[in-house]
């Protein structure tokens, strides 16, 4: 953006030499940092001990939020289009990056409650790399 003194200087220059062309350079585009691709975690859990799993669930939310996680969906009775559901809970989680997911999963706070989930359930946690916006 041109300042008032710069506009006055350009006007004076143009008045003094009407045939002269004054070129004003456009500001260079500011490069935007490339956005990291989100990462999704799908948990397919077969919970066999609800009481012990409750100890996991009781500490989960605070730790999870502190690391920027977002639960996109979760169900104990998902609608199935094909195949048989052999697990009791399905959860879809999103993190801004793989680094954020790893910081959450390997944090000492999460590792402390993870023992309850592992004792109370079985099933895979699947990580999917999302696409950058």
């Amino acid at each position: 953006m041109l300042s008032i003194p710069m506009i006055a200087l350009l006007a004076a220059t143009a008045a003094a030499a009407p045939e002269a062309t004054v070129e004003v350079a456009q500001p260079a585009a500011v490069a935007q940092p490339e956005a990291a691709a989100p990462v999704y975690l799908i948990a397919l859990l077969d919970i066999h001990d609800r009481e012990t799993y409750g100890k996991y669930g009781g500490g989960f939310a605070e730790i999870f939020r502190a690391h920027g996680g977002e639960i996109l969906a979760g169900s104990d009775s998902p609608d199935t289009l094909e195949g048989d559901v052999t697990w009791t809970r399905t959860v879809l989680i999103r993190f801004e990056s793989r680094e954020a997911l790893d910081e959450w999963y390997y944090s000492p706070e999460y590792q402390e409650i993870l023992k309850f989930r592992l004792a109370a359930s079985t099933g895979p946690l699947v990580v999917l790399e999302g696409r950058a916006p």
Side-chain angles (χ1 to χ4, degrees), residues 2-18 20-24:
L2 296 175
S3 66
I4 298 296
M6 179 61 85
I7 293 171
L9 176 63
L10 291 174
T13 303
T21 303
V22 177
E23 292 186 30
V24 178

Side-chain angles (χ1 to χ4, degrees), residues 13-59:
T13 303
E19 68 283 345
T21 303
V22 177
E23 292 186 30
V24 178
Q26 295 293 323
V30 177
Q32 296 296 319
E34 189 172 315
V39 174
Y40 301 92
L41 182 135
I42 302 171
L44 306 171
L45 303 176
D46 185 16
I47 302 169
H48 52 79
D49 180 349
R50 295 278 175 178
E51 184 178 332
T52 301
Y53 192 86
K55 294 176 185 175
Y56 167 77

Side-chain angles (χ1 to χ4, degrees), residues 48-125:
H48 52 79
D49 180 349
R50 295 278 175 178
E51 184 178 332
T52 301
Y53 192 86
K55 294 176 185 175
Y56 167 77
F60 177 84
E62 182 179 349
I63 297 165
F64 184 70
R65 280 194 303 267
H67 289 275
E70 178 184 5
I71 296 177
L72 299 178
S75 178
D76 285 349
S77 57
D79 185 21
T80 305
L81 293 178
E82 295 182 12
D84 297 321
V85 173
T86 59
W87 53 90
T88 59
R89 177 161 297 163
T90 304
V91 183
L92 175 61
I93 292 173
R94 179 183 186 279
F95 282 91
E96 290 297 320
S97 66
R98 178 60 190 249
E99 292 77 23
L101 181 145
D102 287 343
E103 287 174 8
W104 161 71
Y105 187 84
Y106 295 107
S107 71
E109 300 84 7
Y110 184 70
Q111 291 296 305
E112 183 62 30
I113 65 167
L114 176 60
K115 62 186 175 190
F116 298 118
R117 183 179 63 78
L118 295 175
S121 67
T122 58
L125 300 183

